[in-house]
Amino acid sequence: MAKEIINREENYSLWYNNLVIKADLAENSAVRGCMVIKPYGYAIWEKIQAQLDKMFKETGHENAYFPLFIPKSFLSKEAEHVEGFAKECAVVTHHRLMANPDGPGVVVDPDAKLEEELVVRPTSETIIWSTYKNWIKSYRDLPLLINQWANVVRWEMRTRLFLRTTEFLWQEGHTAHATQAEAIEETERMVQVYAKFAREYMSMPVIVGRKSESERFAGALDTLCIEAMMQDGKALQAGTSHFLGQNFAKAFDVQFANKEGGLEYVWATSWGVSTRLMGALVMAHSDNNGLVLPPKLAPIQVVMVPIFKTDEEHESILIKMNEIKQKLTALGISSKIDDRDNLRSGFKFAEWELKGVPVRIAVGPRDMEKGTVELARRDTLAKEFVSQEGIEIHIQKLLDDIQANIYKKALDFRDANTVKVDDYETFKKRIEEGGFLLCHWDGTAETEEKIKNDTKATIRCIPMENAEEEEGFCVYSGKPSRQRVIFARAY
Amino acid sequence: MAKEIINREENYSLWYNNLVIKADLAENSAVRGCMVIKPYGYAIWEKIQAQLDKMFKETGHENAYFPLFIPKSFLSKEAEHVEGFAKECAVVTHHRLMANPDGPGVVVDPDAKLEEELVVRPTSETIIWSTYKNWIKSYRDLPLLINQWANVVRWEMRTRLFLRTTEFLWQEGHTAHATQAEAIEETERMVQVYAKFAREYMSMPVIVGRKSESERFAGALDTLCIEAMMQDGKALQAGTSHFLGQNFAKAFDVQFANKEGGLEYVWATSWGVSTRLMGALVMAHSDNNGLVLPPKLAPIQVVMVPIFKTDEEHESILIKMNEIKQKLTALGISSKIDDRDNLRSGFKFAEWELKGVPVRIAVGPRDMEKGTVELARRDTLAKEFVSQEGIEIHIQKLLDDIQANIYKKALDFRDANTVKVDDYETFKKRIEEGGFLLCHWDGTAETEEKIKNDTKATIRCIPMENAEEEEGFCVYSGKPSRQRVIFARAY
């Protein structure tokens, strides 16, 4: 197929956009900032959903569904929360259209104005905690461990497919606990679930850490996150888990009777990942030939392309491919035989590379004679001839190998692009090259702000895993510090 | 537990509402007309979703996701469609709130008015067909078989949990075809998928039929449906499949190049079922003790309640129950051991009856001695003592039996409440008793309208299966007719 994506090295941003569109993941819609997720992209999202949902259930959570709309007054019950979301929300003001009295089409019916405007949920803390007030009476009702799969809307001014869209799909966990300690434990448990998912399923190394105060969720006391490095060296926040303290319980007056019969406010967490993960998946692994999907999230793990001249050849190759397909299916490996009659095999190869299918099998008449297939792996583009006999076992191992190799490649890249920096002049130069800068920081929002204004770099997180205490001096102010934090430019 | 639901015979409508709330399926939210689907209700919906999704994929469909918002002008591109939906839609007019200059809280920012208002999707034909215009160029792009799982909003004035809510969850299939015949075939295929699902999974008998012109979907040339009878004799439309002709293709100028190179408009279908199915499930089978769930859709298929006095008894019973649980799990049967220490077993029995768990096992010290359990089935409330040995096989058969028995019971009820009526005086009396009235109809909208005004009965459908041609005379006008149709009052 015609090469239609620009090279990554030439224009990373355009390369990403080309890829998302050409690989049939998503496209812009007729509605400003909203995307259409196309079937191939949605199939990947379904795999992400299925695995996360399983992990949420294994950790004791249940799904539920809360309204799309939030009464305007609810948003302002938590002071920081409204500050964070009021400026970018879709507001429903009317409930009816009418025929245009002055011409064709329809107009808003002025008589159908709502008494109180409704906001399309940007996140659901307020509507959920107003509901929890009725659900939580006693310590026996706790913990309450609920997740919701939903669409949310934030009126973004600059949007990019998957990374930042006006409407996006996500899950939001909202849990209620009797004690602060339990809520903090839940916050940490869920950020670890996200880290495990990113590493084992997306093959994406992530750093688990804590946000600085200025990067916290609006209404949270503490925000934990997973941060990944993209191939241009920029950081991408891939998931967050918030310890909300008693803020929302107080805003919505949610108290429970403890074992001693006293009343206490409930402790809360919330945590979420979104279709933004799709953007991370694309940017973490893809190359100039297209997507590179980790096998565990690939809708099609193996594609088979027959190569033939005569009808007899065609028929015998298809019989063999169907045999292989059956054996793969028995091992739980998904495959597709691309038998389209109007396309050359070279075109098909390029198309499946573009779509990131991990393994490609080609079989021609010579292969049939020799009892072999040509096997190509998407991650390294390496080819080999292997026996048709036992090929399903070979592929099973190969898929595991690809899953691990993609991870290692991304980890090596991150390691190669992570440096300790101890003076601000070096910082300002080094940040231009991208990557993570491990620096001492004096812990103040002022320093953070100044560095951001100078360099566009923000504190991505204060690492929590393998975080060594280390005495040092703030890279900006020279004041004392006890741990390095990660600075980077970010999506 | 305290009996908190009113008897079905006393007030059917209140009984339904009590049941939905007390069984923890759903409740009204703080937003007018919108519901909260609680974890137990959502778990049933997840089972409905999973099975339908499987059936859609088996019939060649893929999932995708389209925007929540529809530009106002799109709605009016198809004349009948706007007529059907403009009067009941949520309209987004602004994209920002601001601090109230005159007091506390937030107000709509008048400077953030949208150039064109957005409607929250009441259904997605318009936004999807505006997208299909870019996806469909040639006959090779057809058929396009896409489904979407989504939330939709219709501004209903009178709402009831699950049956009619402002926001509801649903799936909407939108397919595009090269020929009229293929589109009609798809319309019929999907109504049959719905019928199969209703019968085999919901244990709910349904009649497959065609809507009269006045009951058609706004923009359709033909609407097929499945209609079920509730226990008060009223009809409930449980799913619809629409043949849309070329209406939306013409409205959005979607043409394809046929094999000969000529341009033709594309043929369309759409089809959907919603959380309304949850209401149907409740109303079709439940009794005065609570829900009666068909085993295939029950989140918990078997509940086990230990009965004991001493710690030793408790311990040995739990060991036995865990053994049984393992054996059930191995057969794919879900179970739960209710070991809550603060509730009497009588309370637990009532609670699980209320929640419709198909099979209950109780084990006490005497049972342990004898190697038996007490087994109660929810549908008939019958109890029996059975051996602990091989109990999992017994339960497996019992679940199948319950699934079939619930269906049969509903079918018998429908048969007993379906009558042929040939004169209008009888019609007017008989309709007061509920049920389906099989009558000849002259095929005119006028007659339909008059009968509706007189009796509140509508034509639920013109049956398509086992439909015998039969010469006769319209029950209202006396004009000739060739087939009986189903009249009933409906939800």
Side-chain angles (χ1 to χ4, degrees):
Chain A
M1 83 187 303
K3 182 71 173 295
E4 289 161 323
I5 52 174
I6 197 168
N7 276 345
R8 193 168 47 172
E9 297 72 19
E10 211 170 316
N11 186 333
Y12 191 84
S13 174
L14 188 57
W15 164 80
Y16 170 77
N17 211 51
N18 281 176
L19 204 48
V20 168
I21 291 170
K22 297 294 176 189
D24 282 335
L25 299 183
E27 64 184 34
N28 290 304
S29 77
V31 183
R32 206 196 62 83
C34 292
M35 64 182 161
V36 173
I37 306 179
K38 299 178 78 173
Y40 192 64
Y42 201 83
I44 299 172
W45 177 243
E46 284 182 301
K47 290 200 158 252
I48 291 175
Q49 273 195 302
Q51 180 56 36
L52 282 170
D53 198 69
K54 187 160 172 279
M55 293 167 90
F56 298 156
K57 283 173 178 158
E58 282 167 0
T59 44
H61 302 85
E62 296 179 299
N63 289 327
Y65 189 77
F66 297 86
L68 171 67
F69 297 128
I70 297 176
K72 189 189 65 179
S73 58
F74 278 31
L75 259 198
S76 41
K77 291 209 176 187
E78 213 286 334
E80 289 178 31
H81 195 68
V82 68
E83 183 66 23
F85 291 105
K87 288 174 208 143
E88 48 172 39
C89 57
V91 189
V92 176
T93 56
H94 292 74
H95 64 81
R96 193 163 59 228
L97 298 173
M98 56 182 261
N100 184 356
D102 305 321
V106 282
V107 294
V108 174
D109 183 342
D111 292 342
K113 192 168 187 309
L114 296 178
E115 276 184 41
E116 179 179 3
E117 295 88 350
L118 298 172
V119 169
V120 179
R121 63 182 161 219
T123 180
S124 301
E125 277 76 7
T126 57
I127 189 80
I128 287 180
W129 278 88
S130 82
T131 308
Y132 281 1
K133 180 172 171 55
N134 301 318
W135 292 5
I136 299 170
K137 301 291 176 199
S138 137
Y139 70 94
R140 290 198 179 269
D141 301 322
L142 298 173
L144 186 58
L145 305 174
I146 291 193
N147 176 61
Q148 164 170 274
W149 290 97
N151 53 345
V152 286
V153 170
R154 297 178 187 176
W155 207 269
E156 301 284 354
M157 282 304 153
R158 290 171 60 95
T159 61
R160 296 188 65 183
L161 290 167
F162 289 125
L163 297 176
R164 194 176 294 278
T165 48
T166 298
E167 181 193 16
F168 55 93
L169 303 184
W170 80 344
Q171 60 69 218
E172 45 182 325
H174 295 274
T175 70
H177 306 265
T179 66
Q180 177 175 28
E182 276 181 48
I184 289 174
E185 195 188 318
E186 168 80 1
T187 311
E188 287 170 0
R189 181 184 303 117
M190 297 321 289
V191 81
Q192 288 299 341
V193 164
Y194 291 152
K196 184 180 165 74
F197 175 78
R199 290 164 182 159
E200 294 182 14
Y201 290 83
M202 298 177 70
S203 289
M204 186 170 77
V206 290
I207 291 173
V208 176
R210 167 171 283 119
K211 287 287 178 190
S212 63
E213 196 176 335
S214 50
E215 297 276 332
R216 257 180 221 153
F217 176 74
L221 297 190
D222 201 3
T223 290
L224 309 184
C225 62
I226 53 172
E227 293 281 330
M229 185 188 289
M230 301 295 101
Q231 291 181 80
D232 59 351
K234 282 171 88 169
L236 187 142
Q237 173 181 302
T240 48
S241 181
H242 314 292
F243 169 58
L244 303 173
Q246 296 172 311
N247 286 353
F248 287 92
K250 285 180 179 164
F252 290 92
D253 191 30
V254 186
Q255 293 180 275
F256 71 100
N258 60 26
K259 285 191 188 178
E260 293 73 36
L263 278 182
E264 292 181 47
Y265 284 107
V266 176
W267 297 86
T269 84
S270 69
W271 29 274
V273 296
S274 73
T275 35
R276 184 163 226 242
L277 288 181
M278 295 285 298
L281 193 66
V282 173
M283 289 213 296
H285 304 307
S286 305
D287 62 24
N288 287 331
N289 294 320
L291 299 183
V292 175
L293 294 178
K296 287 185 183 173
L297 298 179
I300 302 166
Q301 295 174 304
V302 179
V303 67
M304 296 187 249
V305 179
I307 294 166
F308 58 91
K309 290 215 177 70
T310 69
D311 285 353
E312 291 71 31
E313 287 168 0
H314 186 193
E315 197 179 335
S316 69
I317 290 171
L318 279 189
I319 289 170
K320 176 54 69 184
M321 286 188 162
N322 274 302
E323 264 177 50
I324 296 174
K325 187 175 174 58
Q326 272 189 15
K327 288 179 191 159
L328 291 173
T329 303
L331 293 178
I333 298 168
S334 61
S335 63
K336 182 186 175 76
I337 299 170
D338 182 358
D339 195 33
R340 287 175 292 176
D341 60 4
N342 60 324
L343 300 173
R344 288 173 304 102
S345 53
F347 182 97
K348 292 180 183 177
F349 287 4
E351 179 172 323
W352 296 116
E353 276 181 11
L354 174 59
K355 292 202 164 182
V357 174
V359 173
R360 182 184 75 222
I361 291 175
V363 180
R366 286 293 306 275
D367 298 305
M368 289 302 285
E369 280 169 29
K370 292 195 274 178
T372 59
V373 308
E374 188 199 67
L375 204 68
R377 54 187 285 177
R378 177 62 185 89
D379 59 338
T380 62
L381 300 173
K383 290 178 196 170
E384 57 176 337
F385 287 91
V386 299
S387 170
Q388 291 170 3
E389 191 65 36
I391 189 167
E392 68 280 8
I393 304 295
H394 186 87
I395 288 175
Q396 192 175 38
K397 285 185 200 142
L398 182 57
L399 290 172
D400 287 345
D401 191 36
I402 293 172
Q403 185 83 29
N405 181 56
I406 297 176
Y407 181 82
K408 185 172 180 307
K409 200 175 155 196
L411 185 61
D412 289 347
F413 179 83
R414 190 184 75 186
D415 287 346
N417 289 279
T418 301
V419 288
K420 291 188 180 179
V421 174
D422 290 320
D423 71 282
Y424 198 51
E425 286 313 304
T426 310
F427 185 107
K428 285 192 282 191
K429 269 177 227 148
R430 193 57 189 70
I431 199 71
E432 296 299 326
E433 298 166 38
F436 288 175
L437 274 50
L438 297 175
C439 306
H440 280 284
W441 166 56
D442 62 18
T444 69
E446 295 73 41
T447 293
E448 227 181 326
E449 178 77 13
K450 281 177 176 152
I451 292 177
K452 187 177 175 183
N453 290 341
D454 279 1
T455 67
K456 293 184 192 148
T458 49
I459 297 178
R460 301 318 305 153
C461 70
I462 305 157
M464 292 167 65
E465 292 174 325
N466 317 316
E468 310 142 33
E469 276 219 356
E470 181 196 275
E471 300 286 335
F473 300 95
C474 175
V475 70
Y476 182 83
S477 69
K479 290 182 191 156
S481 146
R482 301 184 69 151
Q483 192 193 329
R484 288 180 187 268
V485 302
I486 297 174
F487 279 94
R489 289 178 180 162
Y491 280 97
Chain B
M1 83 187 302
K3 182 73 172 294
E4 289 160 322
I5 53 175
I6 198 168
N7 275 345
R8 193 168 47 173
E9 297 72 19
E10 210 169 316
N11 185 333
Y12 191 85
S13 173
L14 188 57
W15 164 80
Y16 170 77
N17 211 50
N18 281 176
L19 205 48
V20 168
I21 290 170
K22 297 293 177 190
D24 282 335
L25 299 183
E27 64 184 34
N28 290 305
S29 77
V31 183
R32 205 196 63 83
C34 292
M35 64 182 161
V36 173
I37 306 179
K38 299 179 78 173
Y40 193 63
Y42 201 83
I44 300 172
W45 177 243
E46 284 182 302
K47 291 200 159 253
I48 291 175
Q49 273 195 304
Q51 180 55 35
L52 283 170
D53 197 69
K54 187 161 171 280
M55 293 167 91
F56 298 156
K57 284 174 178 159
E58 282 167 0
T59 44
H61 303 86
E62 295 180 299
N63 289 327
Y65 189 77
F66 297 86
L68 171 67
F69 298 128
I70 297 176
K72 190 190 64 180
S73 59
F74 278 31
L75 260 198
S76 41
K77 291 208 176 188
E78 212 286 334
E80 289 178 31
H81 195 68
V82 68
E83 183 66 22
F85 290 105
K87 288 174 208 144
E88 48 172 39
C89 57
V91 189
V92 176
T93 56
H94 292 74
H95 64 81
R96 194 164 58 228
L97 298 173
M98 56 183 261
N100 184 355
D102 305 321
V106 283
V107 293
V108 174
D109 182 343
D111 292 341
K113 192 168 187 308
L114 296 178
E115 276 184 42
E116 179 178 3
E117 295 88 350
L118 298 172
V119 169
V120 179
R121 64 182 160 219
T123 180
S124 301
E125 277 76 7
T126 57
I127 189 80
I128 287 180
W129 278 87
S130 82
T131 308
Y132 282 0
K133 179 172 171 54
N134 301 317
W135 292 5
I136 299 170
K137 301 292 176 198
S138 137
Y139 69 94
R140 289 198 180 269
D141 301 321
L142 299 172
L144 186 58
L145 305 174
I146 291 192
N147 176 60
Q148 165 170 274
W149 290 97
N151 53 345
V152 287
V153 170
R154 297 176 188 178
W155 207 269
E156 301 284 354
M157 282 304 153
R158 290 172 59 95
T159 62
R160 296 188 66 183
L161 291 167
F162 289 126
L163 297 176
R164 195 175 294 277
T165 48
T166 298
E167 181 193 16
F168 55 92
L169 304 184
W170 81 343
Q171 60 68 218
E172 46 183 325
H174 294 274
T175 69
H177 306 265
T179 66
Q180 176 175 28
E182 276 181 48
I184 289 174
E185 194 188 317
E186 168 81 1
T187 311
E188 287 170 359
R189 181 184 303 118
M190 297 321 290
V191 82
Q192 289 299 341
V193 164
Y194 291 152
K196 184 180 166 73
F197 175 77
R199 290 164 182 159
E200 294 182 14
Y201 290 83
M202 298 177 69
S203 290
M204 186 171 77
V206 290
I207 292 174
V208 176
R210 166 171 283 118
K211 287 287 177 190
S212 63
E213 196 177 335
S214 50
E215 297 276 333
R216 256 180 223 154
F217 175 75
L221 297 190
D222 201 3
T223 290
L224 308 184
C225 62
I226 53 172
E227 293 281 330
M229 185 188 290
M230 301 296 100
Q231 291 181 80
D232 59 351
K234 282 170 86 170
L236 186 140
Q237 173 181 301
T240 47
S241 181
H242 314 292
F243 169 58
L244 303 173
Q246 295 172 312
N247 286 353
F248 287 92
K250 284 179 179 164
F252 290 92
D253 191 29
V254 186
Q255 298 185 76
F256 71 100
N258 61 26
K259 285 191 189 179
E260 294 73 37
L263 278 182
E264 292 182 47
Y265 283 108
V266 176
W267 297 86
T269 84
S270 68
W271 29 274
V273 296
S274 72
T275 36
R276 184 162 226 242
L277 288 181
M278 295 285 299
L281 194 66
V282 173
M283 290 213 296
H285 304 307
S286 305
D287 62 25
N288 287 330
N289 294 319
L291 299 183
V292 175
L293 294 178
K296 287 185 184 174
L297 297 179
I300 302 166
Q301 295 174 306
V302 179
V303 67
M304 296 186 248
V305 179
I307 294 166
F308 58 91
K309 289 213 177 73
T310 69
D311 286 353
E312 291 71 31
E313 287 168 0
H314 186 193
E315 197 179 336
S316 69
I317 291 171
L318 279 189
I319 289 170
K320 176 53 70 183
M321 286 188 162
N322 275 301
E323 264 177 51
I324 296 174
K325 187 175 174 59
Q326 273 189 15
K327 288 179 190 158
L328 291 173
T329 303
L331 292 178
I333 297 168
S334 61
S335 63
K336 182 187 175 76
I337 298 170
D338 182 357
D339 195 32
R340 287 175 293 176
D341 60 5
N342 61 323
L343 301 172
R344 287 174 304 101
S345 53
F347 182 97
K348 292 180 184 178
F349 287 5
E351 180 172 322
W352 296 116
E353 275 181 12
L354 174 59
K355 292 202 164 182
V357 175
V359 173
R360 182 184 75 223
I361 291 175
V363 181
R366 287 292 307 274
D367 298 305
M368 289 302 285
E369 280 169 29
K370 292 196 273 178
T372 58
V373 308
E374 188 199 67
L375 204 67
R377 54 187 285 177
R378 177 63 186 88
D379 59 338
T380 62
L381 299 173
K383 290 178 197 171
E384 57 176 336
F385 287 91
V386 299
S387 170
Q388 290 170 2
E389 191 65 36
I391 189 168
E392 68 281 8
I393 304 294
H394 186 87
I395 288 175
Q396 192 175 39
K397 285 185 199 141
L398 182 57
L399 290 172
D400 287 345
D401 191 36
I402 294 172
Q403 185 83 28
N405 181 55
I406 297 176
Y407 181 82
K408 185 173 180 307
K409 200 175 155 196
L411 185 60
D412 289 347
F413 179 83
R414 190 184 75 186
D415 287 347
N417 288 280
T418 301
V419 288
K420 291 188 181 180
V421 173
D422 290 319
D423 71 282
Y424 198 52
E425 286 312 304
T426 310
F427 185 107
K428 284 192 282 190
K429 270 178 227 148
R430 193 56 189 72
I431 199 71
E432 296 299 327
E433 298 166 38
F436 288 176
L437 274 50
L438 297 175
C439 306
H440 280 284
W441 165 57
D442 62 17
T444 70
E446 294 74 38
T447 293
E448 227 181 327
E449 178 78 12
K450 281 177 177 153
I451 292 177
K452 186 177 175 182
N453 291 341
D454 279 1
T455 67
K456 293 184 192 148
T458 49
I459 296 178
R460 301 318 305 153
C461 70
I462 305 157
M464 291 167 65
E465 292 174 326
N466 316 316
E468 310 142 32
E469 277 219 355
E470 181 196 274
E471 301 285 336
F473 301 95
C474 175
V475 70
Y476 182 83
S477 68
K479 290 182 190 156
S481 145
R482 301 185 68 152
Q483 192 192 330
R484 288 182 187 267
V485 302
I486 297 174
F487 279 94
R489 289 179 181 163
Y491 281 97

